[in-house]
Amino acid sequence: MDTIASLFSFITTPVSWVIVQFHTVYGAIFGPDTGWAWGLSIVSLVILIRICLIPLFVKQIKATRAMQTLQPEMKKIQERYKNDKQRQSEEMMKLYKESGTNPLSSCLPILAQSPFFFALYHVLNGIASGQTIGVINASLLESARKAHIFGAPLAAKFKDSASTIEALGASVTDVRVVTVVMIVMMSASQFYTQRQLMTKNVDTTVKTPFMQQQKMLMYVFPIMFAVFGINFPVGVLIYWLTTNVWTMGQQMYVIHNNPTPGSKAQAAYLERLTKHVTQHGKVRRRSEKTIVKAIVAKGRDRNEFERKFINGLTKAGLAAQTDGTVVKGESQALAQAEDGTTTATAARRQQPKRQSKSQRQSGVTKQAGDALSLEKSDDEPQDDVKPAAAKQPQKPGSGTRSKAQSGQRKGGPQRPKSPSKK
């Protein structure tokens, strides 16, 4: 580790200068020889470096998304040229070039952060050995050697001997306890960050070797941190724990606001976005417009969650546009122009209530009665016309019989007479 750190000695002076500047500020608050002043200086160095690495982190996200998109094509190339490794490599490079992706882009933040990590290790190792390094002079060196974090010196390691730790003014128990707790927290934060990525932010519809690799790294990285952590000084453990916590929070923010398409995080995100858009009738953020624009551009290639999002807007009387905005649908706009309402239900057609069987029968009977009364009123004579036939009484026994006696139906079709029996 000392040999690797010496390779990055060219950046030792800038790193030590930044630490000294932060120490000047925190030393005025907590005291120049306290562990809080030196510990917060290291934490501030981490935050400053990670802020500078945000553009590289954005490139890492884009590269990771592009690699996930290319996994099906990569799998086809591997199966097609499994007996020709050279042709397989050529086709892979061709695929990367056509898609504009670079596999190394996903490692950019780690590679860019490595020089600062080894430079800090070189500075703290010099403090442990009592050597001035960078801009840290003799007075600052003495102040740093007196600084303790929960009883453990910044330059102490888990594997240091009792005499070395006693020379720094601490006990072996304090150093071992503090370093073990920090190593456990460092490994746990790394494991949670990777697990969060695998369980929430991975496209579950595509099963590729890339997912298996990520799953393996989820268990390998914490073990690596535990193994190498026993050789790190307490100050370096503070640095690495802080950067792991930063990465975990940064990952949570990305998963919450810009999830991977087809993942569980995207389903939760689109559900929240649907509720907000249907409630307010518009998209509020630029990032949301970008996501809606990408969903509209996919057309029939949308996944299950994206189709559900578009259908939810349609049911609410809204329509997503190609520029990422959301407007009212045609039916809802027409309803608003007619009656001034703005609710999505105003656009729905009013359906008549379904009648029961008794209501339908009573309605038919009423209509038949009305028709019969109308027909009867048309057949009745006027007041000034008095037909004589209607006034003449009929004698019983006369040749005329009533319709009921003749066996004929009243008002309906006539029943044929039965033939006479011989």
Side-chain angles (χ1 to χ4, degrees):
M1 183 67 70
D2 295 338
T3 304
I4 299 176
S6 62
L7 297 175
F8 296 94
S9 58
F10 65 92
I11 203 174
T12 300
T13 300
V15 169
S16 62
W17 182 85
V18 172
I19 292 177
V20 169
Q21 301 307 311
F22 281 122
H23 175 261
T24 303
V25 176
Y26 294 120
I29 300 174
F30 301 101
D33 299 335
T34 59
W36 288 106
W38 286 99
L40 290 176
S41 299
I42 297 173
V43 172
S44 300
L45 172 66
V46 176
I47 296 174
L48 178 62
I49 294 173
R50 295 308 299 266
I51 291 175
C52 295
L53 293 178
I54 287 178
L56 293 179
F57 180 74
V58 174
K59 290 185 178 181
Q60 179 191 22
I61 295 176
K62 293 181 178 180
T64 304
R65 298 280 174 84
M67 290 295 295
Q68 291 175 349
T69 305
L70 293 178
Q71 288 305 308
E73 298 296 330
M74 294 172 60
K75 188 176 182 180
K76 292 179 182 178
I77 293 175
Q78 291 175 352
E79 293 177 353
R80 185 180 304 173
Y81 304 104
K82 58 183 179 180
N83 297 326
D84 191 351
K85 299 298 183 181
Q86 183 178 358
R87 182 66 184 277
Q88 186 181 117
S89 301
E90 293 176 356
E91 292 295 328
M92 287 288 189
M93 296 303 296
K94 183 179 178 181
L95 180 63
Y96 294 149
K97 186 177 181 180
E98 292 177 352
S99 60
T101 58
N102 188 354
L104 297 179
S105 298
S106 58
C107 304
L108 283 177
I110 297 177
L111 296 177
Q113 190 179 349
S114 298
F116 299 95
F117 170 77
F118 288 112
L120 177 63
Y121 180 87
H122 194 48
V123 170
L124 294 175
N125 192 49
I127 293 174
S129 58
Q131 299 176 358
T132 58
I133 186 170
V135 298
I136 298 179
N137 52 30
S139 60
L140 291 173
L141 177 63
E142 186 65 24
S143 175
R145 288 175 65 87
K146 293 179 181 179
H148 291 68
I149 299 293
F150 301 108
L154 291 177
K157 305 175 187 177
F158 179 87
K159 296 178 67 176
D160 283 345
S161 61
S163 58
T164 303
I165 294 176
E166 289 177 0
L168 296 173
S171 65
V172 176
T173 303
D174 293 339
V175 172
R176 299 283 171 84
V177 171
V178 171
T179 52
V180 167
V181 170
M182 286 189 175
I183 291 172
V184 171
M185 294 176 64
M186 186 173 61
S187 301
S189 59
Q190 178 65 34
F191 176 80
Y192 180 79
T193 301
Q194 194 69 20
R195 187 177 184 277
Q196 182 180 229
L197 179 65
M198 289 298 302
T199 57
K200 295 182 178 181
N201 206 37
V202 173
D203 188 356
T204 57
T205 61
V206 180
K207 304 296 183 180
T208 61
F210 178 77
M211 295 179 60
Q212 299 297 329
Q213 294 174 4
Q214 294 294 320
K215 188 176 181 180
M216 182 181 64
L217 293 177
M218 181 173 65
Y219 297 98
V220 171
F221 275 148
I223 296 175
M224 291 176 59
F225 279 114
V227 172
F228 290 109
I230 60 177
N231 296 312
F232 291 161
V234 174
V236 174
L237 293 178
I238 294 174
Y239 176 93
W240 208 247
L241 177 61
T242 305
T243 192
N244 279 3
V245 172
W246 177 282
T247 303
M248 182 175 63
Q250 195 169 243
Q251 187 74 35
M252 291 175 64
Y253 176 83
V254 171
I255 292 175
H256 187 270
N257 295 282
N258 191 17
T260 301
S263 62
K264 295 180 180 179
Q266 189 196 30
Y269 176 82
L270 292 180
E271 185 177 355
R272 295 192 304 268
L273 184 59
T274 303
K275 291 181 180 179
H276 171 79
V277 174
T278 53
Q279 182 178 1
H280 299 280
K282 62 179 181 179
V283 181
R284 54 183 175 176
R285 298 177 183 174
R286 183 181 300 177
S287 59
E288 293 176 350
K289 289 183 179 180
T290 303
I291 292 177
V292 174
K293 181 179 179 181
I295 293 175
V296 174
K298 287 184 177 181
R300 296 183 178 180
D301 296 333
R302 301 186 188 110
N303 57 45
E304 177 185 357
F305 310 128
E306 294 166 346
R307 288 194 297 269
K308 186 178 179 181
F309 170 72
I310 296 297
N311 293 335
L313 295 182
T314 304
K315 291 181 180 179
L318 301 173
Q321 304 299 305
T322 55
D323 59 350
T325 58
V326 174
V327 298
K328 296 175 182 178
E330 295 180 358
S331 58
Q332 186 180 12
L334 180 60
Q336 184 177 8
E338 292 178 353
D339 54 14
T341 57
T342 57
T343 58
T345 56
R348 299 177 182 175
R349 181 181 299 175
Q350 296 294 333
Q351 299 291 339
K353 292 184 178 180
R354 187 174 182 179
Q355 296 180 347
S356 63
K357 184 177 181 180
S358 59
Q359 290 176 341
R360 291 196 300 270
Q361 290 178 351
S362 62
V364 172
T365 306
K366 184 178 179 182
Q367 292 177 0
D370 294 340
L372 183 60
S373 61
L374 180 62
E375 181 180 359
K376 187 176 181 181
S377 63
D378 292 341
D379 294 339
E380 287 180 354
Q382 301 297 329
D383 294 340
D384 56 348
V385 180
K386 297 180 179 179
K391 295 292 184 176
Q392 293 179 358
Q394 295 181 354
K395 294 180 180 181
S398 61
T400 60
R401 291 185 301 177
S402 64
K403 293 182 179 180
Q405 291 175 349
S406 63
Q408 295 181 355
R409 295 181 181 179
K410 183 179 179 180
Q414 301 300 322
R415 185 170 59 188
K417 296 181 179 181
S418 60
S420 59
K421 298 181 180 180
K422 293 182 181 181

